Amino acid sequence: MSETSAGSPKLRAVLDGIPTYKPGKPAAAAEGDGPVAYKLSSNENPYPPLAGVMEQAIAAAGVFNRYPDMACTGLMEELAKRFGVPVSHLATGTGSVGVAQSLLQATSGPGDEVIYAWRSFEAYPIITQISGATSVKVPLDEGDVHDLDAMFDAITEKTRLIFVCNPNNPTGTVVRRAELERFLDRVPKDVLIVLDEAYREFIRDEQVPDGIELYRDRPNVAVLRTFSKAYGLAGLRVGFVVAHEPVAAALRKTAVPFGVSQIAQEAAVASLRAEDQLLERVEALIAERTRVYDALVGQGWTVPVTQANFVWLRLGERTTDFAAACDRAGVVVRPFAGEGVRVTIGEVEANDLFLKAAEAFRKEL
Ligand SMILES: Cc1ncc(COP(=O)(O)O)c(C=O)c1O
């Protein structure tokens, strides 16, 4: 063989055609007298880090020449206490999306099927395709809610994992206790159901169950949670799962070694200890959510009731124009071309700019 063989390194065929994850567009700097730009495109928490959390993170930064605690001992103990679960039922990862990817690695490969609603969190098709498994997308119902009966009907012998995103990203809609329990009880016990509760802390509908209560007597249920949203640690990348053995143990095997930095671990522990303060901020965001929702409805928009930190406007063909109008008004939103726009609840001023842009757009329709 010649020293340099022709062609390029062989890559896995499943990588062909993987949709690339589109992060929310950053806010552009204001130009001239233009409005300040706000980023409402990534469902982030608009509040800056709490001083006490920042202090712990800075202290941890002082030793970043060392690897972090691979077992996340302190964080695991704190989580176990907070949620009343054994440490052996916990696994952490680089954001909950990192944990979701580990769940797929642990359960699914070529020839297997992964079911999720669509549209839902845009990482699901990407991480499923990377695993080599096949995505089975079940359309949301006409109210933009998970159609659990149709998802049940989609189960085959090849199904390994089902995501239920509650509340759903990007629609903010929820599935309630009776329908969810009925679904969980019908799914075959060898299929893992992942309740993705990234926005759990924003739920105020009392009929929506806490996944951690549902997992307790269901060995095929795993609950995904994150510090990125309500706790405001999106940039530090730390999420976790609550699941029975052997799922949790498998995740500790498939996780990237040392994936959660010491800074993230310390900040997460400090956040759990400062939960009251953080949840006050969540309360303020929920008040803003109500204000934004009511104003949109008052302007004549049809908006699905949201239990997350964002609202969904089904704009269809007008999606891109609407996003451009928001851009010009100084708010960056998240368009899904041809479908709709997701808008994060942010600072009061940002929400005001968005509402003004929505009102002007509505009048032109
Ligand atoms: C439904 C859902 N799950 C998981 C995530 C991932 O969050 P992270 O990886 O920051 O924990 C997101 C982020 O937007 C999300 O919307």
Side-chain angles (χ1 to χ4, degrees):
M1 205 189 289
S2 67
E3 236 172 73
T4 51
S5 41
S8 52
K10 285 187 182 157
L11 302 176
R12 291 167 63 218
V14 293
L15 299 187
D16 293 339
I18 285 194
T20 23
Y21 188 99
K22 284 203 195 107
K25 228 172 72 169
E31 280 173 31
D33 295 334
V36 178
Y38 292 95
K39 185 177 175 214
L40 300 181
S41 53
S42 295
N43 297 344
E44 293 155 334
N45 192 318
Y47 289 96
L50 286 178
V53 173
M54 186 71 119
E55 243 170 59
Q56 294 303 312
I58 289 171
V63 287
F64 67 41
N65 53 313
R66 303 285 177 195
Y67 285 108
D69 170 3
M70 188 161 136
C72 296
T73 317
L75 176 56
M76 296 282 245
E77 280 168 8
E78 201 72 25
L79 286 170
K81 224 170 29 185
R82 167 68 182 77
F83 294 105
V85 299
V87 167
S88 62
H89 285 196
L90 289 165
T92 52
T94 52
S96 57
V97 76
V99 186
Q101 188 153 24
S102 288
L103 282 162
L104 283 165
Q105 272 182 323
T107 57
S108 312
D112 299 332
E113 293 176 351
V114 175
I115 299 174
Y116 48 86
W118 200 248
R119 177 169 282 278
S120 190
F121 181 34
E122 67 175 316
Y124 298 155
I126 300 170
I127 57 180
T128 300
Q129 198 164 331
I130 292 171
S131 77
T134 304
S135 282
V136 178
K137 296 179 176 179
V138 178
L140 296 169
D141 71 14
E142 62 285 354
D144 285 321
V145 178
H146 278 59
D147 185 342
L148 291 181
D149 284 337
M151 289 175 75
F152 176 76
D153 290 342
I155 296 172
T156 71
E157 279 183 358
K158 296 179 183 167
T159 307
R160 292 285 172 278
L161 186 147
I162 304 174
F163 285 110
V164 177
C165 189
N166 204 25
N168 188 47
N169 174 8
T171 57
T173 49
V174 287
V175 286
R176 291 178 160 161
R177 181 182 302 279
E179 50 177 332
L180 185 55
E181 285 192 353
R182 184 169 160 266
F183 177 74
L184 298 182
D185 293 339
R186 286 203 297 164
V187 172
K189 300 294 171 259
D190 59 356
V191 173
L192 183 70
I193 305 148
V194 179
L195 302 179
D196 184 343
E197 296 188 336
Y199 303 96
R200 168 73 209 162
E201 297 81 0
F202 296 95
I203 296 175
R204 289 298 173 271
D205 179 338
E206 286 176 5
Q207 291 186 57
V208 179
D210 178 335
I212 294 181
E213 293 315 314
L214 298 181
Y215 110 98
R216 292 189 194 278
D217 55 357
R218 292 181 176 87
N220 64 333
V221 171
V223 184
L224 268 185
R225 296 279 182 93
T226 183
F227 283 94
S228 298
K229 310 294 179 183
Y231 295 87
L233 304 185
L236 291 180
R237 313 307 300 126
V238 51
F240 63 98
V241 70
V242 183
H244 289 262
E245 303 277 3
V247 176
L251 290 175
R252 292 193 293 270
K253 281 187 205 162
T254 53
V256 174
F258 304 108
V260 182
S261 73
Q262 201 63 38
I263 302 175
Q265 292 182 37
E266 302 295 344
V269 169
S271 300
L272 285 168
R273 292 184 182 159
E275 203 173 32
D276 288 352
Q277 260 174 296
L278 290 167
L279 294 183
E280 270 173 35
R281 292 172 161 195
V282 168
E283 221 42 72
L285 288 171
I286 290 172
E288 273 300 281
R289 174 177 80 193
T290 306
R291 182 176 78 88
V292 169
Y293 178 88
D294 290 348
L296 288 171
V297 171
Q299 290 171 13
W301 295 97
T302 304
V303 195
V305 173
T306 172
Q307 292 291 314
N309 64 340
F310 50 84
V311 289
W312 172 245
L313 294 178
R314 188 167 279 292
L315 281 138
E317 294 313 310
R318 289 160 299 163
T319 295
T320 321
D321 288 346
F322 182 85
C326 288
D327 261 2
R328 288 193 295 276
V331 278
V332 183
V333 299
R334 178 70 170 89
F336 295 88
E339 292 181 60
V341 167
R342 188 192 68 201
V343 187
T344 307
I345 303 298
E347 302 85 339
V348 174
E349 315 80 63
N351 303 334
D352 281 342
L353 285 177
F354 160 62
L355 286 173
K356 235 168 103 185
E359 187 174 31
F361 195 89
R362 184 90 209 155
K363 283 186 181 145
E364 281 170 23
L365 288 181

